[in-house]
Amino acid sequence: MERSFIAKNPSVLWFLLGLAGFTIVITILSEASGAALISTSFVKTLGKTLCLCLVAIAMDVVWGYCGILSLGHFAFFGIGGYAIGMWLMYARTEDIVIASLENATLPPTPDEITNAIGTQIFGVVGSSDFPMIWAFSHSLTLQLLAVALVPGLLALVFGWLAFRSRVTGVYLSILTQAMTLALSLYFFQNDTGLRGNNGLSGLQNIPGLEAVSQATLSLWFFWASAFALGVGYVLFAWITAGKLGSVIRAIRDNEARVRFLGYHVESYKLFVFTITAIIAAIAGALYYPQAGIINPAEIAPIASIYLAVWVAIGGRGRLYGAVIGAAVVSLMSSWFTGGKAPDINLGFYVIGWTDWWLVLLGLTFVAVTLFFPKGIGGLFDLLQPRKGDAP
Amino acid sequence: MNTLLEVSGVSVSFDGFKAINNLSIQIAEPELRAIIGPNGAGKTTFMDILTGKTKPDEGRVIWGEKSVSLLGMSESQIAQSGIGRKFQKPTVFEAQTVRENIVMALKNPRGPFDLLFKRRVDDSADRAREISDEIGLSDALDQTAGALSHGQKQWLEIGMLLAQDPRLLLVDEPAAGMSPSEREHTTDLLVRAARTRAVVVVEHDMEFVRRLNCKVTVLHQGSVLAEGSLDHVTKNQDVVDVYLGR
Ligand SMILES: Nc1ncnc2c1ncn2[C@@H]1O[C@H](COP(=O)(O)OP(=O)(O)O)[C@@H](O)[C@H]1O
Ligand SMILES: [Mg+2]
């Protein structure tokens, strides 16, 4: 009777095989391997895309499976990026400062070093003092802990307050959106100590790995992103399979009924909300070193809305659907807005894709919602008819 | 027989309208009890109060040998302490299979981590099969619940109740939309369940109630109008006037 987890969830195996194959192909084609058939910047784009796929499956679990339309998961993604970015920026600036003070006649005091680092980092916002929030930035371990703990705690507290008062549906979405807006405004302020609208930059330079070329580094991050996506996929497939998944989907469909079965619905929502927030933050921590820069605009509410759009287009309630949606839409988005898409000349008007891409995306979203509620992932049902939600 | 549930002096009003008015009822364990009454008498609201969905304005609801009050408890706590409910409109999880529906209801630890790590969860497969036999759905275990007929959904919901293994079953209009043979099967199920526990059945249909062959409480405008055997209450002049006479 008891079959193995993989036997019950064949799509997990297919996904992992596909991901492994993709990783190998990209590795062979990359500059680092010598073939150089694809550029380093494209490897970075693909690595970032894998991170977006990871945050998308988190979104799918919280929305597609549990029915909580969170418009805040990209904020958790951004917090993860900031948490790792603080260490990257601090440690690299420290290296630079120490190197430049090496030739000084007197050896610099620790205070002088700290001041010099502060001036380097906070000069853009007219300051040189380290704000409280940077207290742990010297330690990679502590900042890595912060990647998981800060969004985890935030999600736990926010979720506890919201779910306990039984806020659901549109009201809950608005509440998560308000949280996101508040966070992005907070990050924008110079007083917060995160360099205001300048954000954190130079994140592609990894302290201690100066000798490693960007071509190689980009491949390492690509591998790390693929690994994280694989682990995240298995984790979420495990959570959404079996009896726990059954209860989570039941909560989505009729939470009041689940209560009368004796389940404490709020605990389940809190569990799902928090674990997906943590995974979103881990995805962000892998994304921003590949992007090189993070600023508060990344956290703006619109980003979380895009996340929901990806999942809707890819197909809610199936993990591979979210992966497809995130990959297809984000890659198309960078193609269209990167100026590479040929403009369409109508004679009297030129459709420039940098402006019209959003219109196309919006129309696609409306069309999918109205006519293909199962999204792109729904096409797989045509290949192999099966009942219920597959992870 | 000892008292399992004691409801006394309970009232609840919606926007000034008294749906339940100074209602008192006692249920023993085991017992089979039918509650009848015209539409709008407050039968469903009564169940809402017992299961924590609606908080009464006044009155007491005392449960079990420890005499705990149900009024301060949440829906899930009440369900865990042994009260199961079947809704008037069948509410099963249509996107999931019959098996998944039953397994979800089975009496097992109910925390997220209990489920994730399969802690103290035993013999689910066997229990699910036993229950599906009892409700006549053993051939449909792997079908989605949405594909069942109306009557089968009613049974599935009764099966989920049995899976919960509650001490008190509240069953709201189980025979609605059922064929005569389905009704007979349903009566059997309920009578059998009531051998070891308390079962409260709300029903409209007199024939159905007659076949249950149990003590009857007549509800009218939110309070008890008469109580006793079906023959006794149907002879009561008040009952004839407000309910049967129409
Ligand atoms: N949530 C509510 N809000 C307002 N009125 C309600 C509510 N629930 C029930 N009622 C009213 O209370 C009365 C009793 O309803 P109900 O308990 O459903 O009756 P029954 O199940 O006996 O047919 C009805 O008049 C109904 O309209
Ligand atoms: Mg009713």
Side-chain angles (χ1 to χ4, degrees):
Chain A
M1 180 62 223
E2 267 303 304
R3 290 177 302 154
S4 76
F5 173 71
I6 293 286
K8 278 194 229 165
N9 302 278
S11 69
V12 174
L13 187 61
W14 287 118
F15 179 80
L16 292 180
L17 287 175
L19 184 63
F22 176 67
T23 309
I24 292 168
V25 169
I26 298 302
T27 304
I28 292 171
L29 298 179
S30 70
E31 273 181 46
S33 79
L37 289 169
I38 53 178
S39 69
T40 293
S41 83
F42 193 61
V43 172
K44 285 188 181 181
T45 303
L46 292 177
K48 285 190 290 180
T49 304
L50 293 176
C51 298
L52 297 178
C53 292
L54 181 56
V55 65
I57 57 175
M59 179 68 188
D60 194 21
V61 170
V62 77
W63 181 33
Y65 284 86
C66 197
I68 303 167
L69 175 51
S70 163
L71 297 178
H73 269 60
F74 219 84
F76 299 129
F77 183 89
I79 294 174
Y82 264 99
I84 198 66
M86 286 159 76
W87 174 77
L88 288 170
M89 218 172 161
Y90 179 92
R92 174 160 159 83
T93 313
E94 186 182 35
D95 287 350
I96 293 172
V97 164
I98 289 176
S100 72
L101 290 180
E102 228 156 41
N103 304 328
T105 38
L106 286 175
T109 64
D111 263 2
E112 280 173 335
I113 294 180
T114 311
N115 269 331
I117 300 172
T119 313
Q120 284 276 328
I121 295 180
F122 301 107
V124 286
V125 287
S127 163
S128 66
D129 297 333
F130 271 95
M132 276 289 286
I133 206 168
W134 287 71
F136 305 119
S137 59
H138 59 278
S139 160
L140 174 60
T141 316
L142 290 177
Q143 288 300 130
L144 281 176
L145 277 177
V147 166
L149 290 184
V150 172
L153 278 177
L154 182 63
L156 201 64
V157 172
F158 178 88
W160 185 72
L161 291 172
F163 301 141
R164 192 189 53 142
S165 0
R166 301 225 175 146
V167 183
T168 55
V170 176
Y171 299 98
L172 185 62
S173 299
I174 293 172
L175 213 57
T176 55
Q177 176 115 77
M179 174 199 79
T180 309
L181 183 62
L183 274 174
S184 76
L185 293 178
Y186 174 74
F187 278 72
F188 254 119
Q189 283 184 342
N190 289 346
D191 291 346
T192 309
L194 291 168
R195 308 195 344 145
N197 61 355
N198 304 287
L200 310 180
S201 53
L203 309 184
Q204 73 278 21
N205 306 305
I206 312 300
L209 298 179
E210 288 82 359
V212 181
S213 72
Q214 279 293 316
T216 307
L217 261 184
S218 68
L219 203 57
W220 288 359
F221 269 99
F222 177 81
W223 290 341
S225 306
F227 180 73
L229 178 59
V231 171
Y233 197 94
V234 172
L235 174 74
F236 285 137
W238 179 51
I239 288 176
T240 55
K243 195 167 166 186
L244 178 61
S246 191
V247 173
I248 289 172
R249 280 175 285 140
I251 288 172
R252 169 192 70 193
D253 293 336
N254 188 346
E255 68 172 70
R257 184 71 182 89
V258 178
R259 283 199 186 97
F260 291 118
L261 284 180
Y263 290 95
H264 191 247
V265 168
E266 290 69 35
S267 304
Y268 283 81
K269 288 186 172 178
L270 201 53
F271 169 72
V272 170
F273 193 70
T274 305
I275 191 142
T276 52
I278 292 173
I279 299 295
I282 291 172
L286 281 166
Y287 179 96
Y288 287 103
Q290 303 181 70
I293 180 164
I294 181 171
N295 60 51
E298 302 276 327
I299 292 181
I302 188 72
S304 293
I305 293 175
Y306 281 141
L307 185 57
V309 170
W310 297 344
V311 173
I313 289 179
R316 265 180 292 162
R318 55 180 96 216
L319 296 179
Y320 58 86
V323 170
I324 293 169
V328 169
V329 182
S330 73
L331 285 175
M332 278 177 69
S333 169
S334 51
W335 188 65
F336 275 115
T337 56
K340 288 188 204 112
D343 290 345
I344 296 175
N345 195 337
L346 298 176
F348 59 94
Y349 185 80
V350 179
I351 297 182
W353 282 117
T354 35
D355 298 327
W356 280 87
W357 156 245
L358 275 187
V359 177
L360 180 67
L361 180 62
L363 290 176
T364 311
F365 177 60
V366 172
V368 165
T369 314
L370 290 179
F371 305 114
F372 311 101
K374 286 180 169 181
I376 303 174
L379 296 175
F380 285 82
D381 291 350
L382 303 177
L383 296 178
Q384 178 199 9
R386 55 181 300 165
K387 299 202 175 84
D389 297 340
Chain B
M1 289 217 307
N2 44 350
T3 307
L4 177 65
L5 178 79
E6 185 174 349
V7 176
S8 47
V10 167
S11 298
V12 65
S13 45
F14 300 114
D15 309 319
F17 169 75
K18 275 216 152 152
I20 296 288
N21 189 3
N22 196 19
L23 177 71
S24 300
I25 285 186
Q26 290 184 10
I27 308 288
E29 183 184 38
E31 181 182 355
L32 178 59
R33 173 77 62 94
I35 297 185
I36 60 173
N39 248 329
K43 305 181 296 286
T44 300
T45 308
F46 169 65
M47 293 199 170
D48 288 345
I49 291 170
L50 296 189
T51 53
K53 191 177 177 196
T54 300
K55 297 284 169 215
D57 305 329
E58 52 188 314
R60 295 187 312 155
V61 180
I62 304 297
W63 165 256
E65 42 280 306
K66 293 207 189 101
S67 297
V68 293
S69 166
L70 293 181
L71 298 182
M73 290 160 70
S74 71
E75 294 98 315
S76 56
Q77 285 171 326
I78 292 176
Q80 279 182 27
S81 72
I83 298 184
R85 174 174 188 184
K86 194 201 100 45
F87 288 77
Q88 188 165 346
K89 181 170 154 277
T91 37
V92 297
F93 299 102
E94 307 221 337
Q96 305 199 34
T97 63
V98 170
R99 186 196 306 277
E100 282 171 315
N101 272 279
I102 295 174
V103 168
M104 228 187 299
L106 280 175
K107 191 175 190 174
N108 272 322
R110 269 157 160 55
F113 296 103
D114 297 324
L115 302 197
L116 194 57
F117 300 110
K118 300 199 169 66
R119 264 190 247 157
R120 290 170 288 151
V121 182
D122 45 298
D123 64 350
S124 302
D126 296 337
R127 285 285 292 138
R129 199 158 313 112
E130 273 169 39
I131 286 167
S132 67
D133 282 342
E134 194 156 354
I135 55 174
L137 288 178
S138 31
D139 293 335
L141 265 177
D142 291 309
Q143 228 176 310
T144 43
L148 300 177
S149 74
H150 185 82
Q152 287 176 317
K153 281 181 198 167
Q154 300 267 37
W155 282 337
L156 174 55
E157 207 179 353
I158 293 174
M160 289 164 74
L161 263 188
L162 298 175
Q164 268 178 276
D165 194 20
R167 295 177 67 183
L168 170 63
L169 271 84
L170 303 171
V171 190
D172 203 347
E173 307 212 6
M178 280 191 176
S179 69
S181 70
E182 286 176 332
R183 278 163 191 248
E184 212 165 304
H185 184 168
T186 309
T187 346
D188 290 348
L189 269 174
L190 295 173
V191 171
R192 222 174 318 139
R195 284 195 198 130
T196 51
R197 48 188 127 220
V199 177
V200 175
V201 185
V202 159
E203 193 43 77
H204 240 40
D205 182 71
M206 275 303 164
E207 269 322 296
F208 189 87
V209 174
R210 187 171 301 282
R211 235 177 289 127
L212 289 176
N213 188 24
C214 65
K215 187 170 170 185
V216 175
T217 300
V218 184
L219 226 56
H220 177 57
Q221 294 182 348
S223 32
V224 176
L225 190 63
E227 204 164 73
S229 72
L230 186 62
D231 288 332
H232 172 80
V233 299
T234 45
K235 285 195 198 94
N236 183 312
Q237 193 53 44
D238 292 338
V239 176
V240 173
D241 287 348
V242 305
Y243 186 32
L244 305 165
R246 291 199 284 179

